[in-house]
Amino acid sequence: MASLHVKINNIWQDLRSSEGMPALDVVRGELGLTSTKEGCREGDCGACAVLVGEQVGDMVRYRAVPSCLLALGELRGKHLVTLEGLVEGAKDGLTPVMRAFLDENASQCGFCTPGFIIALTSWLAEPQVPDLAGALRAIDGNLCRCTGYGAIRRAAARLVERFKDLPLESGARLKTLVEAQVLPPSVLEFMAESAGKPEADSVSRKISGNAPARGGNADNAVPVAVVGGGTDYYVRNPDPEEGFSPFLTRMLPEFGQIRYVSDREDRWLEVGAAVTVRDFFSSHVVRHEVPGIERFETMFASTLIRNLATVGGNIVNASPVADITSMLLALGARLVIVPEADAGNKNTPLRLCPLEQFFLGYKKLNLGPGEVLKAVWIPVLADPSSRKFSFEKASKRRNLDIAAVNMAISFRIDKGRFRDVRISLGGVAPVPLLGIGAQEVLEGAPCDVSDKKSLAGLAKNAARRAESAISPISDVRGSSDYRRRMVHQLMLAHFIRLFETSGVAEELFP
Ligand SMILES: Cc1cc2nc3c(=O)[nH]c(=O)nc-3n(C[C@H](O)[C@H](O)[C@H](O)COP(=O)(O)OP(=O)(O)OC[C@H]3O[C@@H](n4cnc5c(N)ncnc54)[C@H](O)[C@@H]3O)c2cc1C
Ligand code: FES
Ligand code: FES
């Protein structure tokens, strides 16, 4: 078994465990770094959070991720920091983040505390102006069951006050945080060691595994276990067999790009399948092509999960309520599919598949054995600012909850009329659907923002058509009737968001 070269806190180590093992088991079991806790083992509690440093482009970046869902192979050539590593530079044994927790009595039994410290340290390391909203967002995937969140919030507020003037340039920021003993000196060592090196080596292995059924017919192809971020895979397979060595999409640079591509006359924005949900929403080009999409980021899971989960994993996992799938369906996305064996080869022929033709039945995909999803293409508009986009999701909790129903809508307004209307419906059938009837109601209809009555009438018509076209099942997340009514209400909610100043809200709900 090949060894994995990883910097663990302040020492480079060669790990012998297989690449598909959840990192948590190695961190606690093999390395004895027991500050990293095992709570839920499903990405829900944040107790297992670790900091992972890696070279991205020409800079080094640190982000907190849940180690229970992280494939060990992802760490090749990277820097893993646990709480034991964080305190290495702290003169009195406490970093300023830990000190803030102590001063505010924000820890009681202490089981959750390492995860909170790691998540808040990661937030400070990110090049943004610290504010309380950002700090609380950083810990939206961390649960505490005994202290209460008031004290944790006050500790976060202390950090905002103390670190409000951090440099925004990432290298300077990391150096400042090492000087302030928030981060350990091993961060500076890792930055020096990474300078001028290519990004982490590729890993590509084949082995059969527990993936959704694939409907394709590639001859003699070997089924592959593919892992993106692992946030679905390891929830379903928490204890993989010894020797498990999947194809890790995040280790292939070709799968991690966001760039423009052309195909005959058309231009597309290509989003690599291994782009994380976090990077998707942060991308300036994604925000340029889909104005306002960043508003919907925090509806997806938590910061810890978004740091790990990939766009491709969301699609191939084939959940009828997958949020990114819902957004991409409304945006008219196409999938770029390649044979896994040639995945890293730039000249491999691509198979293109409109996203709506990818789902053949519940968890049954238009993806042959041996094929992997390489990227997603989003159509580029001549004038991106003409695109109107909205996403809605009905779930019990704001964070860390899967939708009962979700819905996205995308259209242009051209010469006062709705054009290129696409509406996705999730959670109302075994696969994500397009709301064809509702699209027909809107396509070509007049769109006069000064006429709230006509807008409200259109919203109600589209809502009725969407609702009447579906026959959802009842399950733990909601009854059939509830889902139908939510589809109706979510359509109205789109109109209220997209025509906020028109008065349509008052017209719909006088
Ligand atoms: C706590 C928690 C909260 C969550 N909240 C949400 C939420 O709010 N909204 C939501 O939509 N989802 C949510 N999820 C589900 C999950 O995070 C997403 O579906 C995520 O996008 C999956 O991406 P991944 O990279 O982690 O997939 P993985 O787990 O790596 O893979 C998922 C499946 O896709 C296959 N696969 C992955 N990449 C490829 C590829 N490139 N080619 C072929 N096959 C591939 C894998 O083999 C696997 O079968 C949540 C999960 C957790 C644990
Ligand atoms: S153990 Fe709960 S998120 Fe990993
Ligand atoms: S301090 Fe006990 S769970 Fe948070």
Side-chain angles (χ1 to χ4, degrees):
M1 188 188 300
S3 66
L4 272 170
H5 199 49
V6 185
K7 188 174 180 104
I8 314 267
N9 293 326
N10 61 355
I11 302 174
W12 281 97
Q13 300 204 31
D14 290 306
L15 304 178
R16 307 294 302 175
S17 299
S18 39
E19 288 164 359
M21 284 295 116
L24 173 66
D25 295 344
V26 177
V27 167
R28 282 183 64 84
E30 206 174 298
L31 302 169
L33 299 168
T34 50
S35 73
T36 309
K37 304 298 181 206
E38 178 171 348
C40 63
R41 211 177 166 89
E42 291 194 340
D44 272 320
C45 74
C48 66
V50 292
L51 208 51
V52 177
E54 63 183 310
Q55 196 185 347
V56 179
D58 56 2
M59 64 173 204
V60 167
R61 178 175 86 181
Y62 283 83
R63 277 190 179 165
V65 293
S67 61
C68 64
L69 304 179
L70 174 72
L72 188 69
E74 285 262 342
L75 293 172
R76 184 186 289 271
K78 298 183 186 171
H79 187 195
L80 175 92
V81 186
T82 65
L83 211 71
E84 290 87 347
L86 273 189
V87 297
E88 275 159 13
K91 298 233 162 37
D92 62 357
L94 293 178
T95 72
V97 180
M98 295 160 88
R99 169 68 58 195
F101 266 58
L102 188 64
D103 291 346
E104 291 294 348
N105 296 316
S107 179
Q108 196 171 321
C109 78
F111 189 83
C112 68
T113 311
F116 276 97
I117 303 294
I118 293 283
L120 284 168
T121 304
S122 166
W123 158 72
L124 283 173
E126 298 218 7
Q128 32 73 34
V129 178
D131 61 11
L132 188 58
L136 299 182
R137 198 161 49 241
I139 51 175
D140 59 9
N142 295 79
L143 296 183
C144 174
R145 280 292 167 260
C146 57
T147 298
Y149 294 102
I152 293 171
R153 182 188 289 257
R154 287 195 298 278
R158 271 184 189 248
L159 295 170
V160 172
E161 184 52 33
R162 168 149 182 208
F163 291 104
K164 57 178 185 276
D165 295 324
L166 284 175
L168 288 177
E169 193 279 315
S170 70
R173 190 177 185 103
L174 292 179
K175 282 184 192 138
T176 306
L177 288 171
V178 172
E179 282 159 18
Q181 300 174 21
V182 172
L183 289 171
S186 58
V187 164
L188 295 185
E189 290 162 18
F190 183 72
M191 286 166 71
E193 288 153 0
S194 303
K197 275 197 192 162
E199 290 182 32
D201 302 340
S202 300
V203 184
S204 169
R205 298 272 179 78
K206 291 178 189 173
I207 199 165
S208 58
N210 178 5
R214 292 154 181 231
N217 56 2
D219 292 338
N220 303 323
V222 181
V224 288
V226 182
V227 172
T231 63
D232 280 314
Y233 191 90
Y234 287 112
V235 172
R236 282 201 314 273
N237 307 278
D239 297 301
E241 282 175 19
E242 190 55 43
F244 177 57
S245 181
F247 175 91
L248 296 172
T249 65
R250 296 213 317 145
M251 298 304 281
L252 282 184
E254 298 81 4
F255 279 49
Q257 294 172 349
I258 300 183
R259 57 178 188 161
Y260 287 101
V261 293
S262 299
D263 176 41
R264 299 191 191 93
E265 303 291 280
D266 300 320
R267 279 187 84 222
W268 305 81
L269 181 63
E270 179 177 282
V271 178
V275 168
T276 62
V277 171
R278 182 80 191 284
D279 287 336
F280 174 73
F281 284 110
S282 312
S283 159
H284 293 301
V285 270
V286 171
R287 290 177 177 202
H288 176 70
E289 293 302 332
V290 190
I293 194 166
E294 65 276 11
R295 281 181 291 178
F296 310 112
E297 173 176 357
T298 54
M299 290 185 179
F300 186 104
S302 64
T303 301
L304 290 175
I305 296 290
R306 290 194 296 275
N307 283 347
L308 195 55
T310 66
V311 168
N314 197 255
I315 296 167
V316 182
N317 187 53
S319 161
V321 281
D323 291 333
I324 304 293
T325 300
S326 172
M327 295 182 200
L328 292 171
L329 204 47
L331 290 169
R334 285 187 182 196
L335 305 184
V336 180
I337 294 165
V338 295
E340 179 269 334
D342 286 330
N345 180 351
K346 287 194 178 65
N347 300 319
T348 305
L350 313 175
R351 182 165 77 81
L352 295 176
C353 173
L355 182 51
E356 58 267 35
Q357 292 172 19
F358 187 61
F359 304 106
L360 305 176
Y362 181 68
K363 299 253 175 186
K364 193 156 186 294
L365 304 175
N366 179 357
L367 189 70
E371 284 189 321
V372 289
L373 175 62
K374 184 177 182 190
V376 178
W377 285 2
I378 299 172
V380 167
L381 300 184
D383 174 13
S385 67
S386 69
R387 175 155 19 217
K388 304 287 172 212
F389 177 79
S390 172
F391 173 73
E392 288 287 349
K393 165 174 177 175
S395 57
K396 284 195 180 135
R397 291 182 302 174
R398 191 182 304 175
N399 295 110
L400 281 171
D401 210 357
I402 309 287
V405 176
N406 62 18
M407 187 195 291
I409 182 168
S410 169
F411 58 86
R412 290 184 302 119
I413 301 173
D414 185 20
K415 300 192 180 83
R417 293 192 177 267
F418 285 88
R419 296 290 176 203
D420 301 333
V421 182
R422 286 180 66 96
I423 297 168
S424 64
L425 304 174
V428 298
V431 298
L433 298 178
L434 281 176
I436 305 286
Q439 289 175 186
E440 284 168 1
V441 169
L442 298 181
E443 186 66 44
C447 179
D448 180 356
V449 288
S450 65
D451 185 351
K452 59 184 178 184
K453 278 198 188 323
S454 130
L455 283 176
L458 274 174
K460 285 184 198 164
N461 278 345
R464 274 195 291 269
R465 282 290 289 276
E467 185 187 351
S468 64
I470 53 171
S471 317
I473 56 161
S474 298
D475 68 11
V476 285
R477 292 213 182 86
S479 67
S480 171
D481 188 44
Y482 169 80
R483 286 168 199 267
R484 256 196 301 270
R485 286 162 67 169
M486 282 319 298
V487 162
H488 188 280
Q489 296 305 96
L490 295 187
M491 180 65 81
L492 303 186
H494 285 310
F495 270 73
I496 292 171
R497 172 180 290 120
L498 291 169
F499 302 105
E500 200 179 351
T501 55
S502 68
V504 69
E506 293 72 23
E507 195 62 30
L508 287 168
F509 298 101

